[in-house]
Structure formats: structure tokens, C-alpha cells
Amino acid sequence: MPGVEKWNWENAAAGALSGFSTVAILHPLDVVRTRFQVSDGRGGSYLPLYRNTAHAIYSIGRTEGLRGLYAGFYPAVFGSTVSWGLYFFFYSRAKTRYIKGSDQQLSPGHHIAAAAEAGSLVCLLTNPIWLVKTRLQLQTPFNQNHPYVGFSDAVRTIFKEEGWRAFYKGIGSGLFLVSHAAIQFCAYEELRKIAVNIKGRRERTDAKNDDEILNSFDYAILGGASKVAAILLTYPSQVIRARIQQRPSSDGIPKYLDSWHALSETARFEGARGFYRGITSSLLKNIPSASITFVMYENFLKLFKVSQKTDSARA
């Protein structure tokens, strides 16, 4: 497939644009999810106790205003834009390498390998951004620590107080979450094949490629369904990572020392339910998020392809 590799920059650009759009629309639910994830329900925390997602949004809006609902927005936008851009770029490159000139479709195993490879690289490059985002989202008026004043101040303060290694807290859980992306993209690719086959037979279309068969509604359903599967299977790792990435108390002692400590403490005091705290807000945020991301990604990619074909025809 000689034409596949030249689309890599378009994949990156489409992924970055879709990631930015998604965060801008759904960020308040991400704040709520993060606060639920680190709340162990035992009290003694600087975080208020929320009854449910609606109560959390209402409480944050009432006590902290719009600024509270959009806490950590800038690193979230930056991180999501960079992450999705890099992810689609690395994913596209990996698929191209696995195809190796063959006209046959990739197997589910190849899709998982490509997704895992892309996810690992993105995780290593962006973990510092997500740590800062988590810290900013957990800031409330009740914090005992001196608050971070924005993204750059958070970076400087973390480096000064905790050193560069602090930026890679939760990297182990983050790398485990690579399986989340692998599951999501494998599910998306396989569901996409099924949708193309079903619509192609039903409509008896003469379309030569998937772009002419599937529409935005199809991409939305495929993106949302693949995200649900990934969330249900990997959500506990997200909870563990969020808990590890919390800011240490005013005396400099972190609540959880490492992933194993967070895992054992959560299991001991909260049971299985503790590993799924915030999953409602996560689903409410991530199902439409994934739908929007894949719809915009596929449509941006179509626009880039059309634009390049037009430029080639003019040349």
C-alpha cells in the first residue's frame, strides 16, 4: 500500500484537532471524574464528599465557579491535543509497518500490537502533562498546600518541591493503561469492518473504500461502543494512577507510596467498589468524547485527503 505512509501527518493533525475539540466540550465531567477517583469515602480529605455526578457539578459550580469546573483545562487541552495527535501518528505508522505492502486487512492481533505500541510511546511522552492536570483538578478552596497558580507555576513548584521524578508518578499504571487504548482501537477497527460489511451488503453500494460507506453517525456509534469496552475493562488502573498522582500533604508525605500501596489500601478499605469510583462521570464524559473524537478524526482525515487530491489534480 504505497499511499498509506504519506497520510501520517494527516493522521496526526486530524487526531490533534479532534482531541482539542473533545476536551473543550466535556472538561467539567473530567474534573468530576478525577475528584471521585481519589475520594476514598473515609473523610479526612481536603476534597468535599459528592453524592453523585450531578451533585458534584452543582457543588463545584456553586463553591468554585466556572473556574473550578474547568480546573486543569489548559494542560488537559494541551495533553489531549498532543496525545491524540501523537497516538494517531504512531498508530498509523505501526499499521503501515505491519501491512508491509500487503493488500490484506490487518488482524485483531496486529491492531492490538499497533495500539499498544502507540499507547506506550504516548504515555512516556505525556505523563508529566497528565500529572499536572490531575493536581490542578484536585485543587479546592480547602487545600492545605499553597495552591498552584496555573500550569507553569505547577510545573515549577513540583520540580522544586519533589524533583523531576515526580512528573512520572503513576507511569506504571499509565503503561498498564496502554491496554485501554489497545482494546479501544482493536474494538473500533473490528466494529468498523463489521459496519462496512453490513452497510455495503445492505445498500449494495459500489463504493470503493470505507469513507464512501460510513457516515458521521456510524463513526459516533463505533467510537462510543469501543470506548465502553475499554473503560469497563481497564478503569481500576485509572483510579490507581489518579491516587498516586495526588499532591503530597503539607508535610511532604504522599498518601500513597506506589501503585501496590494504592491498590492494597483501596482494596482493604473500599473493596471492589473503590476501583470504580467516578465511573459514571467517566462514562458520561468518555462515551460522547470518543464519539466526537472519532467523528472529527475521520472527517478531518477526509478533508485532508480531498484537499491533497485537489492539489495533485491542479499540479
Side-chain angles (χ1 to χ4, degrees):
M1 296 181 67
V4 175
E5 189 165 352
K6 67 181 181 181
W7 293 114
N8 285 321
W9 78 264
E10 284 90 343
N11 281 280
L17 288 169
S18 59
F20 170 82
S21 305
T22 301
V23 173
I25 296 169
L26 299 167
H27 187 74
L29 284 169
D30 191 46
V31 174
V32 171
R33 177 191 63 173
T34 302
R35 293 193 179 187
F36 269 120
Q37 286 177 336
V38 303
S39 176
D40 57 17
R42 289 182 282 158
S45 171
Y46 58 84
L47 286 173
L49 295 178
Y50 307 117
R51 292 193 296 270
N52 50 48
T53 299
H55 178 245
I57 292 176
Y58 171 76
S59 299
I60 295 170
R62 187 185 64 178
T63 59
E64 302 171 52
L66 194 63
R67 186 168 185 170
L69 290 171
Y70 276 86
F73 179 70
Y74 293 120
V77 167
F78 179 55
S80 184
T81 302
V82 171
S83 293
W84 279 111
L86 290 174
Y87 194 95
F88 279 112
F89 176 78
F90 290 139
Y91 183 63
S92 175
R93 295 278 295 189
K95 288 201 301 181
T96 302
R97 190 169 63 255
Y98 291 138
I99 289 172
K100 294 179 181 177
S102 172
D103 291 329
Q104 294 184 350
Q105 292 183 321
L106 292 178
S107 67
H110 282 122
H111 284 306
I112 290 175
E117 179 181 321
S120 298
L121 290 170
V122 171
C123 180
L124 291 170
L125 292 172
T126 62
N127 195 77
I129 302 172
W130 298 126
L131 179 129
V132 174
K133 185 211 76 163
T134 298
R135 296 277 183 95
L136 290 173
Q137 288 181 335
L138 294 176
Q139 286 196 149
T140 73
F142 311 104
N143 275 75
Q144 296 178 349
N145 301 76
H146 183 73
Y148 301 126
V149 185
F151 180 75
S152 58
D153 179 62
V155 172
R156 287 194 299 268
T157 304
I158 292 169
F159 185 79
K160 179 181 177 181
E161 294 180 351
E162 304 171 60
W164 68 268
R165 291 185 179 181
F167 291 104
Y168 284 90
K169 284 186 176 181
I171 189 69
S173 298
L175 288 171
F176 182 79
L177 277 171
V178 167
S179 62
H180 176 101
I183 292 168
Q184 181 183 358
F185 272 75
C186 180
Y188 179 80
E189 296 283 5
E190 294 307 306
L191 289 171
R192 197 175 193 274
K193 290 179 189 176
I194 294 171
V196 168
N197 290 333
I198 291 174
K199 289 197 73 173
R201 288 199 304 267
R202 187 176 62 200
E203 299 175 8
R204 298 180 181 179
T205 180
D206 293 327
K208 295 181 180 180
N209 57 60
D210 299 356
D211 294 342
E212 299 173 24
I213 298 175
L214 301 180
N215 55 39
S216 293
F217 179 77
D218 298 322
Y219 296 134
I221 296 298
L222 295 175
S226 62
K227 191 67 174 181
V228 170
I231 288 174
L232 293 177
L233 291 171
T234 65
Y235 191 77
S237 292
Q238 297 182 40
V239 173
I240 296 301
R241 182 172 67 167
R243 294 189 174 197
I244 295 171
Q245 290 182 338
Q246 290 181 87
R247 188 175 184 178
S249 60
S250 55
D251 58 9
I253 300 175
K255 187 171 184 177
Y256 300 102
L257 302 176
D258 51 35
S259 295
W260 176 250
H261 185 222
L263 180 69
S264 59
E265 289 290 291
T266 301
R268 177 185 175 192
F269 291 105
E270 302 167 68
R273 187 175 181 179
F275 293 104
Y276 286 90
R277 287 190 179 273
I279 194 168
T280 300
S281 50
S282 181
L283 289 169
L284 288 173
K285 184 246 179 186
N286 282 300
I287 293 174
S289 170
S291 297
I292 292 169
T293 296
F294 279 101
V295 167
M296 299 193 75
Y297 167 73
E298 296 284 3
N299 282 289
F300 279 133
L301 201 56
K302 286 181 185 179
L303 288 174
F304 287 136
K305 290 180 180 180
V306 170
S307 177
Q308 189 166 86
K309 286 178 181 178
T310 302
D311 291 341
S312 299
R314 287 175 181 173

